[in-house]
Amino acid sequence: MFTNNKLSKAVRLAVAFGAASTAVFAGAVVAQEAEEAKEVERIEVTGSRIKRTDIETASPIQITSAEEIKAAGYTRIEDMLNSLPQIEASSTAFTANGTSGTATLDLRGIGANRTLVLVNGRRLQPGGLYSSSADVNQIPAALVERVEILTGGGSATYGADAVAGVVNFVMKDDFEGVELNAGYSGYQHKNDNSFIQSKMDAAGYDYETGNSGLDGKSKSLDLTVGGAFDGGKGHATAYASWRQVDEMLQKERDYASCALAAGTGNCGGSFTNAVPNFDIYPIFNGETDFNQNAFWTIEDNGGTTQFSEDVGVYNFAPVNHFMRPDDRFTLGSFVRYELNEHANVYTEVSYMNNRTIGQIAESGLFFEPFVFDADAAVFSDAQRDQLAAAFPGADQYSISIAKRNVEGGGRTANLEHNSFRIVTGMDGMINDTWSYDVSYQYGSASSSDAYKNDFYINYAGTRVGASGEEECVGDCIPYKVFEFGGVTPEAAAQMAGAAIATGFTTQKVFNAFVTGETGWTVPGHSLPVAAVIGVEKRDVFFDRTVDTIYAEGALSGQGGPTLDLQGGYKVEEVFGELSVPLVEDVAVAENITLELGGRYSDYSTSGGENAFKTAIDWSVNSEWKLRASYNKAVRAPNVSELFASQGLGLWSGSDPCAGDDPALSQAECANTGVTAAQYGNITPSAASQYNQIAGGNPELTPEVGKTLTVGIVGNPFENFNFSIDYWNIELSDVISALDPEETITQCGKTGIAAYCNLVNRAPSGSLWLSDEGFVTATNQNLGNEHYRGIDLSMNYSMDVGPGTLSTSLLGSYNMKKFFDPLPGVDGTSYDCSGLISTKCFPQPEWRHTMSFNYTTGGDWTAGAKWRYFGAVEFDGTSPNILIGDEIEGVSFFDVVGSYALTENVSVQLGVNNVFDREPPLVGSTLANTNTIAGYWDLLGRYVHMNVTARF
């Protein structure tokens, strides 16, 4: 436990636990650690508060070193971590539509809200206005010593949210000297995708061709200063960092320049077009007849505007951000001071300011309904005749207008986040074997969203000339949707609307614990039982305030109102751990240690909950180790899940009763509210977006996760080590909303009122043409989820010429990713492992990173990396909306080299995705950008350079 009889074993196992990532481009690190390991101190390793002399534990821990983070060349820490096989892309800089402006981590694809993020073993506060997960934009990459990723529940040690596991950023709080890093990077791609270019040629769309040059450029500066003071009693480290990233639009890559339609692979788009489209129903004596309908556009006929059935769609892709622009500034410090032999005081202070913009396609009238008199002056004579012929005797018309406001430019979410975190505390040795740590942490995130250049719907009735509206006179400029080319930039400018939202979240944590050796021993073992006992109190509060424009849903491009949100919760906890050495120095066991942990939590919202862990650490000898752990973890509902107001919004997918060949039968669709006349005639959303009512539920209870891990670590021969770990995670009482598409399907197939009452179709049968149609999808403790897989890591080094070649492999085999949203209801469960659909993220069964590093121990190093994503198939349970039948396996190759120009100055140059491999295309139904943002290499070849000066 505390005694390490073979120091070389600790180094080997450290590398084994670090797997590929510790050794990726950092072969010299192992030798350096071996030199420094002559003096070993007790450290706290992620997953336990019991301090130990090495990082071998009963739970699998994946370590990413500072050297690997630097070698990868990314300016965003989430880009580096998303390249690991254990992590799925969550909120990234490549998300524009609906972006929160934050960066979050999703371990195992179980959810960012189930991945606990720590800094030096302490919680990072929630991120901001639209996210309850930690924003890792706050993490200065240059100050990261290592990242420890713990698989499995960590709730017994750290409390709620550690259901999938823990990501712990261990910082360089003992830095000595002055270091300045300057980085520059960008993307380059050759636009020569013949498949999509042929589709755009057929659609008449413009696109980029040839070499893009260097775009999406990023610049960064990192300054770190540290040293001892007061005769070595104290130490301080301070840092400041700056990063600027240029924007990229989808039009800058040919494969994202048009929205590929579901299944066909042709360029699709939105019915909200530059040339307006109209969904028309006649009104007789004040009653709308939904059995008669025309879906028309307009055309110019020799100077006269008339209606036409040749309805067009709008290519909304080019204007969208492919990568958001970003400006970030961080600063902070770590200070530690020894008061006496029993007391040290410490502080950690950090601040971040981050500004980003998310731009998406122009706003407009998204089938907004208005009533027009049959003789309205806004119609041309030809249009009046056409309407009269189509709907004889009608005295008015209900017309839903779809007009893309191309004259006004794209919508932008202007997001700013200011995060502040301070930790202050005292620790020290009580005696030779017991120590204590008492700390208080305050973290806050203030954020704002200024949403600009949307379409102010409250002005629209007057300007389009609708019946009953005031006449547009004076400074009012008519918005002439019934006249071909009639909308002017001046008219569009009068329709521009903006909305403001601000948010403030705080997290206060008091933590105190003691740890040490009890003096008790188990017969047959010389080492005593070690223990931890402690208390923790957390207070989380969130407040979001929106202006009237947001609250009323007065901007047509928002999909519904954005509402105020205020709430919080408190939790008081007691926790403890035991490390019990059981057996040592017998035939099949050099050492066996039992680890136990427990935590009781009392929530102000849901009452008492408990979490526990049981683990076995079995060292067979200095070369072989077996380990197993079982954890019960909990996740309390966050503020948004509890208290968010219920309101109208959008969901992405498909209506199984829409289109000319619906997925459900006529009888099944009748259960969802579709009439016989409407069946086969309901227009599907070309943008694959439908209405929903979503929101919180204060009656939610915590989720429960149970995690089993079993593994083996080996060092069977010189310079080779490996670890294999099986993991199994089961969740119950999962907090989520029932998928709206599943709700429609279950209503159709079963007719059960519990489902059908959630489906509210507009009189036309649509779920998107007006806000009268929607599916209710509020938060509930619904079902179960089950995840299972195997992680593999291997490391090997050998002498080659004057240097050492180090090779490592980190891979993950995904065996199960099972969702059971409605336990006991046949046909509702599904497994996403190796599949993609509207419900399934494209998690391949196998994914790995293989790395090679060569170093002579002199002035230069060189490395290469192979990142592989296995094949993914379409789930096959619904009409194919994937481009093709499957996503083939894809490989990306990276190279990097560094050279010491002088004793104090070094330069690094690297290229990721050397062969400019394009990401797989999945179509616009599964992803706004035709491909999965932040997962595969999205923008082509990535070139990076870094210069470091250290004194």
Side-chain angles (χ1 to χ4, degrees):
M1 183 180 51
F2 288 161
T3 303
N4 190 349
N5 59 349
K6 291 190 177 181
L7 186 59
S8 60
K9 173 183 152 190
V11 175
R12 287 196 301 269
L13 288 173
V15 177
F17 282 114
S21 47
T22 300
V24 169
F25 296 152
V29 176
V30 177
Q32 178 184 346
E33 289 177 345
E35 287 294 318
E36 296 174 350
K38 293 176 182 178
E39 182 179 346
V40 180
E41 62 177 313
R42 296 172 181 176
I43 60 173
E44 186 178 305
V45 180
T46 301
S48 175
R49 296 192 186 276
I50 296 177
K51 294 188 176 181
R52 54 203 307 134
T53 55
D54 55 55
I55 63 173
E56 52 179 298
T57 73
S59 299
I61 298 176
Q62 166 65 38
I63 295 179
T64 301
S65 69
E67 287 75 17
E68 182 184 5
I69 294 171
K70 181 176 180 180
Y74 296 113
T75 59
R76 296 178 291 255
I77 193 72
E78 73 272 17
D79 290 346
M80 173 64 233
L81 295 180
N82 284 338
S83 70
L84 300 177
Q86 293 90 346
I87 295 181
E88 283 189 4
S90 185
S91 178
T92 72
F94 305 102
T95 304
N97 196 349
T99 181
S100 66
T102 62
T104 58
L105 303 176
D106 183 357
L107 186 56
R108 307 288 180 193
I110 300 176
N113 54 358
R114 301 184 183 99
T115 301
L116 181 61
V117 178
L118 309 175
V119 175
N120 286 341
R122 299 180 182 90
R123 287 172 174 262
L124 191 62
Q125 73 268 25
L129 188 62
Y130 300 119
S131 174
S132 294
S133 301
D135 181 9
V136 297
N137 272 317
Q138 302 172 61
I139 306 296
L143 258 289
V144 176
E145 178 72 30
R146 64 184 184 274
V147 183
E148 298 177 352
I149 300 176
L150 169 70
T151 292
S155 289
T157 304
Y158 301 111
D161 303 335
V163 176
V166 175
V167 179
N168 184 20
F169 292 90
V170 180
M171 311 304 288
K172 298 176 183 176
D173 53 10
D174 58 353
F175 184 85
E176 295 281 346
V178 178
E179 182 176 278
L180 179 65
N181 291 284
Y184 186 81
S185 62
Y187 295 89
Q188 181 272 329
H189 176 67
K190 184 178 181 180
N191 289 298
D192 60 354
N193 188 311
S194 59
F195 167 77
I196 199 166
Q197 288 185 6
S198 67
K199 302 295 183 181
M200 287 188 284
D201 287 339
Y205 294 159
D206 296 328
Y207 53 87
E208 297 286 340
T209 60
N211 190 339
S212 69
L214 198 66
D215 50 19
K217 294 183 285 293
S218 174
K219 299 176 283 293
S220 64
L221 284 173
D222 303 287
L223 174 66
T224 308
V225 181
F229 62 90
D230 195 12
K233 288 185 177 182
H235 188 280
T237 300
Y239 67 88
S241 69
W242 169 80
R243 178 186 73 199
Q244 183 182 72
V245 181
D246 294 344
E247 70 175 3
M248 285 190 64
L249 302 178
Q250 285 184 224
K251 69 178 182 179
E252 296 178 65
R253 296 292 183 264
D254 56 355
Y255 50 83
S257 291
C258 83
L260 293 173
T264 66
N266 295 323
C267 286
S270 168
F271 283 123
T272 302
N273 196 11
V275 177
N277 294 318
F278 307 94
D279 194 38
I280 308 172
Y281 296 88
I283 300 175
F284 301 91
N285 299 318
E287 295 292 329
T288 303
D289 183 358
F290 289 102
N291 292 319
Q292 298 187 57
N293 175 241
F295 192 52
W296 289 344
T297 184
I298 56 173
E299 63 181 8
D300 179 66
N301 183 16
T304 298
T305 300
Q306 64 184 30
F307 289 118
S308 166
E309 295 182 355
D310 189 18
V311 172
V313 295
Y314 178 69
N315 181 21
F316 54 80
V319 181
N320 294 340
H321 271 147
F322 216 176
M323 181 174 71
R324 302 193 316 271
D326 178 80
D327 286 275
R328 189 197 70 170
F329 174 72
T330 67
L331 58 84
S333 65
F334 304 90
V335 180
R336 185 176 183 84
Y337 187 80
E338 179 186 347
L339 296 176
N340 56 51
E341 61 179 330
H342 298 293
N344 307 283
V345 293
Y346 58 86
T347 63
E348 299 177 7
V349 180
S350 63
Y351 169 76
M352 178 206 71
N353 173 263
N354 185 66
R355 303 183 67 182
T356 186
I357 297 173
Q359 177 175 293
I360 59 175
E362 303 91 341
S363 190
L365 291 168
F366 294 90
F367 286 95
E368 195 69 30
F370 301 94
V371 173
F372 295 88
D373 295 331
D375 60 353
V378 294
F379 299 136
S380 69
D381 291 338
Q383 290 171 330
R384 274 190 289 270
D385 292 342
Q386 288 175 298
L387 289 167
F391 309 111
D395 47 14
Q396 289 182 312
Y397 307 104
S398 174
I399 303 180
S400 295
I401 302 172
K403 166 69 174 84
R404 183 71 60 168
N405 192 40
V406 294
E407 298 81 5
R411 292 165 278 175
T412 60
N414 298 262
L415 296 152
E416 181 173 2
H417 292 82
N418 290 277
S419 298
F420 174 75
R421 180 176 183 267
I422 182 170
V423 178
T424 182
M426 179 181 293
D427 63 13
M429 298 299 298
I430 300 172
N431 54 34
D432 289 342
T433 58
W434 282 85
S435 64
Y436 68 94
D437 191 318
V438 180
S439 65
Y440 177 79
Q441 172 186 328
Y442 174 84
S444 69
S446 61
S447 48
S448 64
D449 171 19
Y451 205 95
K452 298 180 180 180
N453 210 33
D454 209 322
F455 198 87
Y456 189 52
I457 196 65
N458 291 355
Y459 289 165
T462 293
R463 284 163 171 76
V464 300
S467 175
E469 299 284 347
E470 294 182 4
E471 186 178 358
C472 184
V473 295
D475 293 334
C476 176
I477 303 176
Y479 199 76
K480 299 179 180 180
V481 294
F482 295 102
E483 180 181 325
F484 192 86
V487 176
T488 65
E490 292 76 17
Q494 287 196 351
M495 298 301 300
I500 303 293
T502 60
F504 186 70
T505 182
T506 61
Q507 176 181 266
K508 304 171 186 177
V509 183
F510 171 78
N511 180 281
F513 65 91
V514 293
T515 178
E517 299 174 352
T518 64
W520 305 328
T521 61
V522 173
H525 207 294
S526 61
L527 293 179
V529 174
V532 168
I533 186 168
V535 295
E536 183 167 299
K537 182 176 181 179
R538 295 196 306 278
D539 186 343
V540 178
F541 177 77
F542 180 83
D543 178 54
R544 180 175 70 208
T545 303
V546 303
D547 66 4
T548 303
I549 305 299
Y550 259 142
E552 292 180 349
L555 300 180
S556 63
Q558 293 299 300
T562 298
L563 304 175
D564 286 350
L565 170 60
Q566 185 178 87
Y569 62 87
K570 297 179 180 180
V571 56
E572 296 180 346
E573 300 176 303
V574 58
F575 60 89
E577 294 182 62
L578 288 175
S579 180
V580 185
L582 298 176
V583 178
E584 69 175 341
D585 296 331
V586 297
V588 293
E590 183 180 88
N591 181 75
I592 298 179
T593 299
L594 172 67
E595 298 178 7
L596 302 172
R599 177 179 290 248
Y600 179 78
S601 307
D602 185 13
Y603 288 91
S604 60
T605 51
S606 57
E609 293 291 335
N610 64 80
F612 63 82
K613 72 171 182 178
T614 304
I616 287 288
D617 187 345
W618 179 357
S619 296
V620 178
N621 52 43
S622 60
E623 283 77 37
W624 294 96
K625 173 191 181 75
L626 303 174
R627 59 190 178 192
S629 68
Y630 181 77
N631 293 264
K632 177 194 173 186
V634 295
R635 185 184 77 85
N638 60 44
V639 174
S640 178
E641 291 167 334
L642 287 167
F643 303 115
S645 300
Q646 298 181 4
L648 189 69
L650 298 174
W651 58 276
S652 297
S654 60
D655 177 359
C657 291
D660 55 11
D661 185 21
L664 297 181
S665 68
Q666 182 175 335
E668 291 170 334
C669 287
N671 289 338
T672 76
V674 176
T675 67
Q678 291 168 346
Y679 185 76
N681 296 305
I682 296 176
T683 303
S685 169
S688 303
Q689 292 182 326
Y690 297 84
N691 296 332
Q692 67 173 344
I693 296 290
N697 178 0
E699 301 301 318
L700 293 173
T701 60
E703 299 175 337
V704 177
K706 296 181 179 179
T707 304
L708 172 69
T709 64
V710 179
I712 181 172
V713 180
N715 183 196
F717 55 87
E718 189 74 19
N719 298 326
F720 174 76
N721 54 64
F722 74 94
S723 67
I724 301 175
D725 289 284
Y726 166 84
W727 49 271
N728 186 84
I729 302 173
E730 297 184 43
L731 306 183
S732 59
D733 297 325
V734 172
I735 298 171
S736 65
L738 184 60
D739 178 70
E741 190 172 330
E742 186 66 39
T743 298
I744 302 168
T745 300
Q746 288 304 312
C747 169
K749 290 184 176 297
T750 68
I752 296 175
Y755 302 121
C756 294
N757 290 343
L758 302 176
V759 182
N760 299 271
R761 293 189 178 274
S764 64
S766 177
L767 291 172
W768 67 280
L769 282 173
S770 75
D771 57 15
E772 295 179 274
F774 57 85
V775 179
T776 300
T778 53
N779 293 329
Q780 303 176 54
N781 287 100
L782 276 173
N784 306 316
E785 297 178 8
H786 189 182
Y787 304 83
R788 188 168 65 216
I790 296 174
D791 287 345
L792 168 67
S793 68
M794 297 188 295
N795 299 272
Y796 178 69
S797 63
M798 60 184 295
D799 293 334
V800 176
T804 301
L805 176 66
S806 301
T807 306
S808 58
L809 173 72
L810 175 63
S812 186
Y813 177 64
N814 191 287
M815 303 168 65
K816 192 170 191 177
K817 194 175 182 182
F818 181 78
F819 298 86
D820 188 10
L822 297 168
V825 179
D826 293 339
T828 60
S829 61
Y830 53 97
D831 192 338
C832 285
S833 182
L835 300 175
I836 183 174
S837 70
T838 55
K839 302 175 185 177
C840 297
F841 186 91
Q843 171 65 53
E845 292 184 349
W846 175 255
R847 180 183 170 190
H848 76 243
T849 297
M850 189 172 187
S851 305
F852 306 86
N853 183 72
Y854 184 77
T855 178
T856 62
D859 293 336
W860 63 274
T861 64
K865 183 188 292 185
W866 170 28
R867 295 176 286 120
Y868 176 75
F869 299 77
V872 178
E873 297 179 352
F874 185 69
D875 69 0
T877 60
S878 58
N880 192 349
I881 54 176
L882 183 68
I883 304 303
D885 297 322
E886 69 171 4
I887 299 171
E888 296 182 351
V890 58
S891 294
F892 299 98
F893 297 93
D894 311 332
V895 295
V896 67
S898 65
Y899 183 75
L901 298 175
T902 69
E903 183 179 350
N904 303 109
V905 180
S906 63
V907 62
Q908 174 184 285
L909 180 64
V911 181
N912 298 349
N913 190 11
V914 172
F915 300 111
D916 191 21
R917 179 69 184 266
E918 293 179 358
L921 300 182
V922 301
S924 61
T925 300
L926 296 173
N928 279 336
T929 58
N930 289 334
T931 186
I932 307 299
Y935 186 52
W936 300 295
D937 287 35
L938 201 65
L939 302 175
R941 186 179 289 115
Y942 177 70
V943 181
H944 58 91
M945 183 179 69
N946 180 275
V947 178
T948 301
R950 184 168 184 173
F951 305 95

